[in-house]
Structures are given as C-alpha cells and as structure tokens.
Amino acid sequence: MSSSPPIALLGTGLLGSAIGQRLLQRGLGLRVWNRHPERLQPLVALGAEACATAAEAVQPCRWVIAVLADGPACREVLLSAENLRWQGQRVVQMGTIAPETSRELAVALQRQGAAYLEAPVLGSRPEALTGTLQIMVAGDEQLFQEALPLLLALGPNPEWFGAIGSALDTKLALNQLIASLTHAFSLSLQLVQAAGVNVEQFMAVLRGSALHAPTFEKKLPRLLADDYRHPNFPTAHLRKDLLLFLASARQHGLDTMGLRCLADLLERARDTPLDQLDYSALHRLTGPVPPPADPAPPAAAPRSG
C-alpha cells in the first residue's frame, strides 16, 4: 500500500465501488464511507478502511472523491455532514448533477475551506474497473493539473473543459444521446418485430448504413432476450440525467418539446421494478399499447308508468 496520504471515497454505489476497486488495485490507500455501511464491505475486503461518517473519511485526506446519488445528496454530504470540517482538501465530484448545483457546491466549499473540481465520466462499472473512463473536468485549471495523477488512474485522457458547469453540461449532452438512441432503436426494433421482419436482415441493412451506432449492438441481446438484469446504469439514473438535461437545455432557451415525451415515457418506470434494471429496459415501455377497453353500454332509460 502507498505511504502517501489516503484518498477519501464518499459513495460506493455501482460506479463508486468500481472506482474504489480501481484505486485499490493501483496501490492507493482508501478510506470509504456510504450511508448504507453494508455497501462498504466489498472494498473493505480489498483493503479499504471503512469509516462510520463522512467526516471520519475526509479528515486525514488531501483528496476526496464524491460519487453520490444526486445533487441533494451532494449538498447534504459535502456541505452539511455532521462534524465535517474542510481544511484545504481537494474535492473531485464525479457524479452527474445539475451544472447549477455544481457551481453552488464550488462556491460553498471554497467558503468552507475546500477546493472543488467537477469530473463526471462517460462509462460505467466495466470502464472504471479497467481505468478507461472518459473523464470530463471543469474548475480551476491549476487544480486540474494537480489532480491529473489521480485522474489518470481512472481514465487515460482526462480532459479539462473550462469553468465549473461546462463538464456537466457536456456529460448531460452525452447522456441525452444515450436515452434518445436507445429509445429510437427500441421503437425501430419493436416495429420490425411486430411486422414480422427478420431481425437479422434489418440489422444487416442498419450495420451497412450511416445510421448504425455501436450501442445498438451492445443492447440488442438484452432487447431480444428481454433480460435487463445486472445493470451498470439503471433506468432510474437515465431518467434523472434526462430530466437534468431538459432543465439545463431550457435554461439555455432550447426547444425541448420533442424530448419531453421520452421523459414522460421514462416516468412510467418510476417506483416500479424497471427502475433498478438496465436502462435498455425502456424497451418494455415502447411495446404495443393495449387497446382501450370498450366503453360500457349506456344504461337503459327507466321505464315510465
């Protein structure tokens, strides 16, 4: 294990746990915290030190990586955690949150004594485990240069995008494509299957065209098997990110009418088992809509007399 100061990891969900595993594999010391302590055990088994509170995890560390669920969780943990005192630590926030929330965090953390970078990633658990995440960074450029040795453990080419918010706007733009491409492919596949067209013939034409995208090949087996278990990126996260994109796009005066219907479709998965499945489970939402029930016949008029 490295003799350098350990790194604090706040949040050990699907992505956070993979980031932690990668850092441990690189010989870095790691102090880990999660609001659900049982989720720390896989990393503890690999050599991480479990901490009962975020403050305990952060206190002896220079670098803090936050991979928390959403903006409210970031505010709660980074700004309001009990006994948490910032003393010059560098916070690298890697979750997907609203750009405006990230700017608020940067200002608030600076006032409390910490430096801040946003560093959302393209990729999920497999890429984190192999150190091939695409990392987009925004914030102070000098701080980015200081963070590079740590970021290079997670991705081969971390890229600085400029002021706080710019990396997250880029991330949201990319995740909007995940949602839109998956939805478009699902609808097309639903149509050819409903029409009795041979799926492999359809795919052969698609592969030979400019319309083809690698994500279609990646998700096709799941869609054909209707098997969305073992997600790296669940439906609930896709919906969250799409709603964040819509909010940011509206702030910039963009017309989001066409995309709002996809958000409405994904709302149908909220609080259902689909939310925890792979996001390509939206294929279940694009299938044939049951016809409306026949209206009840009008009640017979009462007989007089």
Side-chain angles (χ1 to χ4, degrees):
M1 189 66 66
S2 171
S3 60
S4 60
I7 296 160
L9 175 64
L10 307 179
T12 57
L14 286 171
L15 179 60
S17 61
I19 286 173
Q21 186 173 335
R22 173 68 179 177
L23 294 175
L24 289 167
Q25 289 170 346
R26 297 290 293 244
L28 298 170
L30 200 63
R31 295 170 66 84
V32 293
W33 172 84
N34 191 291
R35 67 184 67 200
H36 303 287
E38 66 276 8
R39 297 181 183 175
L40 302 176
Q41 294 313 305
L43 291 177
V44 171
L46 295 173
E49 183 176 354
C51 297
T53 66
E56 181 186 341
V58 164
Q59 193 275 325
C61 300
R62 179 174 178 81
W63 290 97
V64 178
I65 295 177
V67 196
L68 300 164
D70 51 27
C74 285
R75 289 193 189 96
E76 178 184 344
V77 174
L78 299 178
L79 302 182
S80 305
E82 186 177 1
N83 297 323
L84 180 56
R85 301 290 183 268
W86 296 105
Q87 299 174 313
Q89 289 94 340
R90 282 89 168 97
V91 178
V92 181
Q93 196 292 117
M94 304 191 80
T96 303
I97 62 176
E100 184 59 34
T101 301
S102 189
R103 287 187 282 267
E104 293 170 4
L105 289 172
V107 172
L109 284 169
Q110 185 177 24
R111 288 174 178 165
Q112 293 187 21
Y116 175 88
L117 289 173
E118 67 182 30
V121 303
L122 192 63
S124 54
R125 186 172 177 83
E127 290 77 16
L129 290 172
T130 56
T132 56
L133 291 169
Q134 292 181 261
I135 307 174
M136 298 153 277
V137 187
D140 181 77
E141 187 173 9
Q142 184 174 344
L143 184 60
F144 165 64
Q145 294 296 332
E146 188 180 345
L148 263 179
L150 174 58
L151 296 174
L152 285 167
L154 301 173
N157 188 33
E159 188 166 348
W160 181 69
F161 278 77
I164 294 290
S166 57
L168 277 162
D169 273 321
T170 304
K171 165 67 171 174
L172 293 177
L174 291 164
N175 278 22
Q176 184 275 135
L177 288 173
I178 294 175
S180 291
L181 284 171
T182 304
H183 177 241
F185 182 59
S186 171
L187 274 176
S188 292
L189 186 62
Q190 292 279 19
L191 177 61
V192 298
Q193 288 182 301
V197 174
N198 181 279
V199 170
E200 187 50 42
Q201 284 185 298
F202 163 70
M203 290 301 301
V205 176
L206 179 58
R207 291 180 186 117
S209 75
L211 304 173
H212 185 252
T215 190
F216 300 160
E217 300 292 345
K218 183 177 180 181
K219 295 303 179 183
L220 180 62
R222 283 190 181 272
L223 272 55
L224 293 179
D226 192 38
D227 186 352
Y228 310 105
R229 296 170 297 170
H230 313 299
N232 293 313
F233 187 48
T235 306
H237 290 187
L238 183 68
R239 181 180 60 249
K240 171 189 71 89
D241 292 356
L242 185 60
L243 292 174
L244 290 174
F245 173 89
L246 286 167
S248 189
R250 285 193 295 269
Q251 288 176 0
H252 290 281
L254 305 183
D255 187 335
T256 61
M257 180 179 66
L259 197 59
R260 290 199 298 271
C261 292
L262 177 52
D264 290 344
L265 183 72
L266 288 169
E267 282 292 342
R268 288 166 49 192
R270 189 182 293 274
D271 299 325
T272 76
L274 290 183
D275 252 3
Q276 303 310 316
L277 298 176
D278 184 83
Y279 67 87
S280 57
L282 70 83
H283 191 57
R284 290 183 180 172
L285 303 175
T286 61
V289 179
D294 292 332
R303 296 175 63 181
S304 58

